[in-house]
Amino acid sequence: QVQLVESGGGLVQAGGSLRLSCAASGRFFRINAMGWYRQAPGKQRELVAHIRNGNSPNYADSVKGRFTISRDNAKNTVYLQMNTLKPEDTAVYYCNVGAQGYSGSDHIAWGQGTQVTVSS
């Protein structure tokens, strides 16, 4: 019932910045949590950042101080501002949303991924 559309990926030089967006649409009562994951070639998918209603954002240690997650509740959109990018940040970034349906059940949705490439 939830569809996610990601945008904002691209190619940047080390030290540059990118801003990822993920917009949720569909039939749901509310979004309880939104987050970003990433997966580099040969690596496991890892949590980058997430934010839940009523809680402070959480970040992976590797991105603390450089990345910022934020939400626009009116637009059902989550953003990931990525500053001081490093080659190690190169990965496919996936948006993840946990939504509550009108019945009260939980619905999990994943974005299709957006490529972020950081060159040396």
PDB file of all heavy atoms in Angstrom, residues 67-89:
ATOM      1  N   PHE A  67      26.155  13.477   7.903  1.00  0.00           N
ATOM      2  CA  PHE A  67      24.836  13.270   7.302  1.00  0.00           C
ATOM      3  C   PHE A  67      23.755  13.762   8.249  1.00  0.00           C
ATOM      4  O   PHE A  67      23.892  13.674   9.480  1.00  0.00           O
ATOM      5  CB  PHE A  67      24.587  11.789   7.010  1.00  0.00           C
ATOM      6  CG  PHE A  67      25.426  11.203   5.906  1.00  0.00           C
ATOM      7  CD1 PHE A  67      26.493  11.899   5.355  1.00  0.00           C
ATOM      8  CD2 PHE A  67      25.129   9.942   5.417  1.00  0.00           C
ATOM      9  CE1 PHE A  67      27.268  11.352   4.344  1.00  0.00           C
ATOM     10  CE2 PHE A  67      25.889   9.384   4.403  1.00  0.00           C
ATOM     11  CZ  PHE A  67      26.958  10.082   3.867  1.00  0.00           C
ATOM     12  N   THR A  68      22.665  14.231   7.671  1.00  0.00           N
ATOM     13  CA  THR A  68      21.518  14.673   8.448  1.00  0.00           C
ATOM     14  C   THR A  68      20.240  14.142   7.813  1.00  0.00           C
ATOM     15  O   THR A  68      20.006  14.353   6.620  1.00  0.00           O
ATOM     16  CB  THR A  68      21.442  16.204   8.535  1.00  0.00           C
ATOM     17  OG1 THR A  68      22.643  16.725   9.110  1.00  0.00           O
ATOM     18  CG2 THR A  68      20.257  16.620   9.404  1.00  0.00           C
ATOM     19  N   ILE A  69      19.429  13.463   8.609  1.00  0.00           N
ATOM     20  CA  ILE A  69      18.142  12.981   8.136  1.00  0.00           C
ATOM     21  C   ILE A  69      17.055  13.926   8.643  1.00  0.00           C
ATOM     22  O   ILE A  69      17.115  14.411   9.769  1.00  0.00           O
ATOM     23  CB  ILE A  69      17.874  11.533   8.596  1.00  0.00           C
ATOM     24  CG1 ILE A  69      16.599  10.981   7.948  1.00  0.00           C
ATOM     25  CG2 ILE A  69      17.803  11.441  10.112  1.00  0.00           C
ATOM     26  CD1 ILE A  69      16.379   9.492   8.196  1.00  0.00           C
ATOM     27  N   SER A  70      16.074  14.185   7.810  1.00  0.00           N
ATOM     28  CA  SER A  70      14.977  15.061   8.190  1.00  0.00           C
ATOM     29  C   SER A  70      13.703  14.613   7.499  1.00  0.00           C
ATOM     30  O   SER A  70      13.739  13.858   6.523  1.00  0.00           O
ATOM     31  CB  SER A  70      15.293  16.521   7.848  1.00  0.00           C
ATOM     32  OG  SER A  70      15.502  16.686   6.459  1.00  0.00           O
ATOM     33  N   ARG A  71      12.581  15.078   8.019  1.00  0.00           N
ATOM     34  CA  ARG A  71      11.278  14.706   7.472  1.00  0.00           C
ATOM     35  C   ARG A  71      10.435  15.935   7.210  1.00  0.00           C
ATOM     36  O   ARG A  71      10.498  16.927   7.934  1.00  0.00           O
ATOM     37  CB  ARG A  71      10.515  13.793   8.440  1.00  0.00           C
ATOM     38  CG  ARG A  71      11.056  12.412   8.610  1.00  0.00           C
ATOM     39  CD  ARG A  71      10.265  11.645   9.663  1.00  0.00           C
ATOM     40  NE  ARG A  71       8.851  11.517   9.330  1.00  0.00           N
ATOM     41  CZ  ARG A  71       7.973  10.816  10.046  1.00  0.00           C
ATOM     42  NH1 ARG A  71       8.375  10.182  11.143  1.00  0.00           N
ATOM     43  NH2 ARG A  71       6.703  10.756   9.683  1.00  0.00           N
ATOM     44  N   ASP A  72       9.640  15.848   6.182  1.00  0.00           N
ATOM     45  CA  ASP A  72       8.591  16.812   5.914  1.00  0.00           C
ATOM     46  C   ASP A  72       7.286  16.028   5.984  1.00  0.00           C
ATOM     47  O   ASP A  72       6.901  15.362   5.026  1.00  0.00           O
ATOM     48  CB  ASP A  72       8.772  17.471   4.554  1.00  0.00           C
ATOM     49  CG  ASP A  72       7.775  18.579   4.302  1.00  0.00           C
ATOM     50  OD1 ASP A  72       6.672  18.545   4.877  1.00  0.00           O
ATOM     51  OD2 ASP A  72       8.092  19.494   3.525  1.00  0.00           O
ATOM     52  N   ASN A  73       6.629  16.089   7.116  1.00  0.00           N
ATOM     53  CA  ASN A  73       5.439  15.278   7.332  1.00  0.00           C
ATOM     54  C   ASN A  73       4.309  15.638   6.371  1.00  0.00           C
ATOM     55  O   ASN A  73       3.537  14.765   5.959  1.00  0.00           O
ATOM     56  CB  ASN A  73       4.957  15.422   8.774  1.00  0.00           C
ATOM     57  CG  ASN A  73       5.909  14.801   9.770  1.00  0.00           C
ATOM     58  OD1 ASN A  73       6.605  13.831   9.466  1.00  0.00           O
ATOM     59  ND2 ASN A  73       5.933  15.345  10.981  1.00  0.00           N
ATOM     60  N   ALA A  74       4.201  16.907   6.024  1.00  0.00           N
ATOM     61  CA  ALA A  74       3.141  17.332   5.118  1.00  0.00           C
ATOM     62  C   ALA A  74       3.305  16.712   3.741  1.00  0.00           C
ATOM     63  O   ALA A  74       2.322  16.481   3.038  1.00  0.00           O
ATOM     64  CB  ALA A  74       3.105  18.853   5.021  1.00  0.00           C
ATOM     65  N   LYS A  75       4.534  16.451   3.350  1.00  0.00           N
ATOM     66  CA  LYS A  75       4.819  15.872   2.040  1.00  0.00           C
ATOM     67  C   LYS A  75       5.117  14.379   2.097  1.00  0.00           C
ATOM     68  O   LYS A  75       5.378  13.771   1.060  1.00  0.00           O
ATOM     69  CB  LYS A  75       6.001  16.588   1.399  1.00  0.00           C
ATOM     70  CG  LYS A  75       5.767  18.061   1.123  1.00  0.00           C
ATOM     71  CD  LYS A  75       6.991  18.691   0.484  1.00  0.00           C
ATOM     72  CE  LYS A  75       6.765  20.155   0.176  1.00  0.00           C
ATOM     73  NZ  LYS A  75       7.972  20.781  -0.434  1.00  0.00           N
ATOM     74  N   ASN A  76       5.089  13.806   3.298  1.00  0.00           N
ATOM     75  CA  ASN A  76       5.439  12.395   3.474  1.00  0.00           C
ATOM     76  C   ASN A  76       6.782  12.080   2.820  1.00  0.00           C
ATOM     77  O   ASN A  76       6.936  11.074   2.126  1.00  0.00           O
ATOM     78  CB  ASN A  76       4.345  11.490   2.910  1.00  0.00           C
ATOM     79  CG  ASN A  76       3.089  11.504   3.749  1.00  0.00           C
ATOM     80  OD1 ASN A  76       3.151  11.549   4.973  1.00  0.00           O
ATOM     81  ND2 ASN A  76       1.933  11.452   3.095  1.00  0.00           N
ATOM     82  N   THR A  77       7.735  12.938   3.081  1.00  0.00           N
ATOM     83  CA  THR A  77       9.035  12.840   2.446  1.00  0.00           C
ATOM     84  C   THR A  77      10.137  12.850   3.495  1.00  0.00           C
ATOM     85  O   THR A  77      10.065  13.596   4.476  1.00  0.00           O
ATOM     86  CB  THR A  77       9.247  13.992   1.459  1.00  0.00           C
ATOM     87  OG1 THR A  77       8.243  13.937   0.442  1.00  0.00           O
ATOM     88  CG2 THR A  77      10.614  13.911   0.808  1.00  0.00           C
ATOM     89  N   VAL A  78      11.141  12.038   3.268  1.00  0.00           N
ATOM     90  CA  VAL A  78      12.322  12.019   4.110  1.00  0.00           C
ATOM     91  C   VAL A  78      13.523  12.406   3.256  1.00  0.00           C
ATOM     92  O   VAL A  78      13.596  12.053   2.072  1.00  0.00           O
ATOM     93  CB  VAL A  78      12.531  10.642   4.773  1.00  0.00           C
ATOM     94  CG1 VAL A  78      12.773   9.554   3.735  1.00  0.00           C
ATOM     95  CG2 VAL A  78      13.664  10.695   5.784  1.00  0.00           C
ATOM     96  N   TYR A  79      14.451  13.129   3.862  1.00  0.00           N
ATOM     97  CA  TYR A  79      15.632  13.599   3.170  1.00  0.00           C
ATOM     98  C   TYR A  79      16.880  13.093   3.873  1.00  0.00           C
ATOM     99  O   TYR A  79      16.882  12.833   5.073  1.00  0.00           O
ATOM    100  CB  TYR A  79      15.678  15.125   3.133  1.00  0.00           C
ATOM    101  CG  TYR A  79      14.444  15.771   2.555  1.00  0.00           C
ATOM    102  CD1 TYR A  79      13.394  16.162   3.382  1.00  0.00           C
ATOM    103  CD2 TYR A  79      14.319  15.986   1.185  1.00  0.00           C
ATOM    104  CE1 TYR A  79      12.262  16.754   2.859  1.00  0.00           C
ATOM    105  CE2 TYR A  79      13.190  16.580   0.659  1.00  0.00           C
ATOM    106  CZ  TYR A  79      12.160  16.960   1.497  1.00  0.00           C
ATOM    107  OH  TYR A  79      11.033  17.553   0.979  1.00  0.00           O
ATOM    108  N   LEU A  80      17.927  12.984   3.116  1.00  0.00           N
ATOM    109  CA  LEU A  80      19.238  12.679   3.671  1.00  0.00           C
ATOM    110  C   LEU A  80      20.230  13.659   3.072  1.00  0.00           C
ATOM    111  O   LEU A  80      20.578  13.549   1.897  1.00  0.00           O
ATOM    112  CB  LEU A  80      19.661  11.241   3.378  1.00  0.00           C
ATOM    113  CG  LEU A  80      20.974  10.803   4.026  1.00  0.00           C
ATOM    114  CD1 LEU A  80      20.820  10.738   5.545  1.00  0.00           C
ATOM    115  CD2 LEU A  80      21.433   9.451   3.481  1.00  0.00           C
ATOM    116  N   GLN A  81      20.646  14.616   3.879  1.00  0.00           N
ATOM    117  CA  GLN A  81      21.662  15.565   3.467  1.00  0.00           C
ATOM    118  C   GLN A  81      23.016  14.958   3.769  1.00  0.00           C
ATOM    119  O   GLN A  81      23.321  14.652   4.922  1.00  0.00           O
ATOM    120  CB  GLN A  81      21.490  16.895   4.201  1.00  0.00           C
ATOM    121  CG  GLN A  81      22.528  17.944   3.853  1.00  0.00           C
ATOM    122  CD  GLN A  81      22.423  18.418   2.425  1.00  0.00           C
ATOM    123  OE1 GLN A  81      21.335  18.719   1.947  1.00  0.00           O
ATOM    124  NE2 GLN A  81      23.552  18.476   1.732  1.00  0.00           N
ATOM    125  N   MET A  82      23.834  14.799   2.756  1.00  0.00           N
ATOM    126  CA  MET A  82      25.128  14.159   2.887  1.00  0.00           C
ATOM    127  C   MET A  82      26.213  15.170   2.559  1.00  0.00           C
ATOM    128  O   MET A  82      26.317  15.636   1.423  1.00  0.00           O
ATOM    129  CB  MET A  82      25.234  12.944   1.963  1.00  0.00           C
ATOM    130  CG  MET A  82      24.135  11.910   2.185  1.00  0.00           C
ATOM    131  SD  MET A  82      24.336  10.434   1.150  1.00  0.00           S
ATOM    132  CE  MET A  82      24.071  11.166  -0.470  1.00  0.00           C
ATOM    133  N   ASN A  83      27.008  15.506   3.549  1.00  0.00           N
ATOM    134  CA  ASN A  83      28.098  16.456   3.394  1.00  0.00           C
ATOM    135  C   ASN A  83      29.435  15.760   3.613  1.00  0.00           C
ATOM    136  O   ASN A  83      29.510  14.696   4.213  1.00  0.00           O
ATOM    137  CB  ASN A  83      27.955  17.610   4.383  1.00  0.00           C
ATOM    138  CG  ASN A  83      26.697  18.417   4.175  1.00  0.00           C
ATOM    139  OD1 ASN A  83      26.247  18.612   3.050  1.00  0.00           O
ATOM    140  ND2 ASN A  83      26.125  18.911   5.271  1.00  0.00           N
ATOM    141  N   THR A  84      30.476  16.418   3.151  1.00  0.00           N
ATOM    142  CA  THR A  84      31.836  15.889   3.296  1.00  0.00           C
ATOM    143  C   THR A  84      31.890  14.425   2.878  1.00  0.00           C
ATOM    144  O   THR A  84      32.370  13.556   3.610  1.00  0.00           O
ATOM    145  CB  THR A  84      32.333  16.062   4.743  1.00  0.00           C
ATOM    146  OG1 THR A  84      31.944  17.341   5.255  1.00  0.00           O
ATOM    147  CG2 THR A  84      33.862  15.975   4.798  1.00  0.00           C
ATOM    148  N   LEU A  85      31.380  14.162   1.707  1.00  0.00           N
ATOM    149  CA  LEU A  85      31.307  12.791   1.226  1.00  0.00           C
ATOM    150  C   LEU A  85      32.693  12.200   1.006  1.00  0.00           C
ATOM    151  O   LEU A  85      33.630  12.892   0.598  1.00  0.00           O
ATOM    152  CB  LEU A  85      30.497  12.733  -0.061  1.00  0.00           C
ATOM    153  CG  LEU A  85      28.984  12.830   0.129  1.00  0.00           C
ATOM    154  CD1 LEU A  85      28.298  13.206  -1.171  1.00  0.00           C
ATOM    155  CD2 LEU A  85      28.436  11.503   0.654  1.00  0.00           C
ATOM    156  N   LYS A  86      32.793  10.919   1.278  1.00  0.00           N
ATOM    157  CA  LYS A  86      34.025  10.171   1.124  1.00  0.00           C
ATOM    158  C   LYS A  86      33.822   9.043   0.118  1.00  0.00           C
ATOM    159  O   LYS A  86      32.699   8.596  -0.094  1.00  0.00           O
ATOM    160  CB  LYS A  86      34.457   9.572   2.467  1.00  0.00           C
ATOM    161  CG  LYS A  86      34.618  10.575   3.592  1.00  0.00           C
ATOM    162  CD  LYS A  86      34.931   9.865   4.900  1.00  0.00           C
ATOM    163  CE  LYS A  86      35.082  10.848   6.040  1.00  0.00           C
ATOM    164  NZ  LYS A  86      35.367  10.159   7.329  1.00  0.00           N
ATOM    165  N   PRO A  87      34.901   8.572  -0.499  1.00  0.00           N
ATOM    166  CA  PRO A  87      34.750   7.427  -1.405  1.00  0.00           C
ATOM    167  C   PRO A  87      34.089   6.227  -0.732  1.00  0.00           C
ATOM    168  O   PRO A  87      33.386   5.460  -1.401  1.00  0.00           O
ATOM    169  CB  PRO A  87      36.196   7.113  -1.804  1.00  0.00           C
ATOM    170  CG  PRO A  87      36.897   8.427  -1.712  1.00  0.00           C
ATOM    171  CD  PRO A  87      36.263   9.119  -0.528  1.00  0.00           C
ATOM    172  N   GLU A  88      34.287   6.072   0.560  1.00  0.00           N
ATOM    173  CA  GLU A  88      33.683   4.975   1.302  1.00  0.00           C
ATOM    174  C   GLU A  88      32.168   5.074   1.376  1.00  0.00           C
ATOM    175  O   GLU A  88      31.501   4.101   1.742  1.00  0.00           O
ATOM    176  CB  GLU A  88      34.264   4.911   2.720  1.00  0.00           C
ATOM    177  CG  GLU A  88      35.740   4.556   2.789  1.00  0.00           C
ATOM    178  CD  GLU A  88      36.642   5.726   2.434  1.00  0.00           C
ATOM    179  OE1 GLU A  88      36.220   6.880   2.609  1.00  0.00           O
ATOM    180  OE2 GLU A  88      37.776   5.480   1.985  1.00  0.00           O
ATOM    181  N   ASP A  89      31.625   6.240   1.050  1.00  0.00           N
ATOM    182  CA  ASP A  89      30.182   6.417   1.035  1.00  0.00           C
ATOM    183  C   ASP A  89      29.543   5.906  -0.251  1.00  0.00           C
ATOM    184  O   ASP A  89      28.313   5.879  -0.357  1.00  0.00           O
ATOM    185  CB  ASP A  89      29.813   7.890   1.222  1.00  0.00           C
ATOM    186  CG  ASP A  89      30.239   8.432   2.574  1.00  0.00           C
ATOM    187  OD1 ASP A  89      30.050   7.731   3.588  1.00  0.00           O
ATOM    188  OD2 ASP A  89      30.756   9.570   2.612  1.00  0.00           O
TER     189      ASP A  89
END
